[in-house]
Amino acid sequence: QVQLVESGGGLVQAGGSLRLSCVVSGSTFDINANDWYRQAPGKQRELVASITNRGSVRYEDSVQGRFTISRDNAKQTVSLQMDSLKPEDTAVYYCTVVDRSFNAYWGQGIQVTVSS
């Protein structure tokens, strides 16, 4: 099955940047999309960014223009570049893979904290 391991989280000041990476292993030939979700304490989990197997991307409105999702097929890695970070971006971020049967595979989550 598919396994995902996230890295790159941490603590930054408002206005700073972080780059999250997610290494995907296992069967990747039938991947429909890679997604990044986040969940802040007391809040619902929300979809932040997605990229399809054909390279189409979508972003949640609040991160549009600040975050960039990308995939390196050779390294089997999906990344989320986060610039101009705000305290409201503080959350646990999750990397996911969705196959063409719409089964979802989740990483363990990684903390991003933005101080004011």
Side-chain angles (χ1 to χ4, degrees):
Q1 294 295 313
V2 176
Q3 282 80 48
L4 304 90
V5 180
E6 302 109 327
S7 63
L11 173 64
V12 297
Q13 293 181 330
S17 297
L18 284 174
R19 185 177 180 86
L20 304 182
S21 295
C22 176
V23 177
V24 181
S25 61
S27 300
T28 60
F29 60 89
D30 62 347
I31 298 302
N32 180 265
N34 294 100
D35 305 321
W36 285 97
Y37 285 81
R38 68 185 181 188
Q39 187 168 25
K43 303 289 187 178
Q44 294 290 326
R45 186 173 296 172
E46 66 177 350
L47 178 63
V48 176
S50 65
I51 181 168
T52 72
N53 61 336
R54 292 172 290 181
S56 298
V57 299
R58 295 188 67 188
Y59 298 98
E60 195 273 328
D61 288 343
S62 68
V63 309
Q64 182 74 45
R66 300 188 296 118
F67 290 11
T68 304
I69 188 171
S70 61
R71 178 167 177 82
D72 186 330
N73 290 320
K75 297 181 178 180
Q76 299 190 117
T77 301
V78 60
S79 299
L80 185 68
Q81 178 67 42
M82 304 183 294
D83 298 320
S84 301
L85 283 162
K86 305 175 180 179
E88 307 94 275
D89 296 317
T90 296
V92 176
Y93 284 70
Y94 297 88
C95 178
T96 70
V97 170
V98 181
D99 68 19
R100 292 173 185 174
S101 298
F102 296 97
N103 299 307
Y105 305 88
W106 292 77
Q108 65 182 3
I110 189 164
Q111 180 70 44
V112 170
T113 302
V114 184
S115 62
S116 59

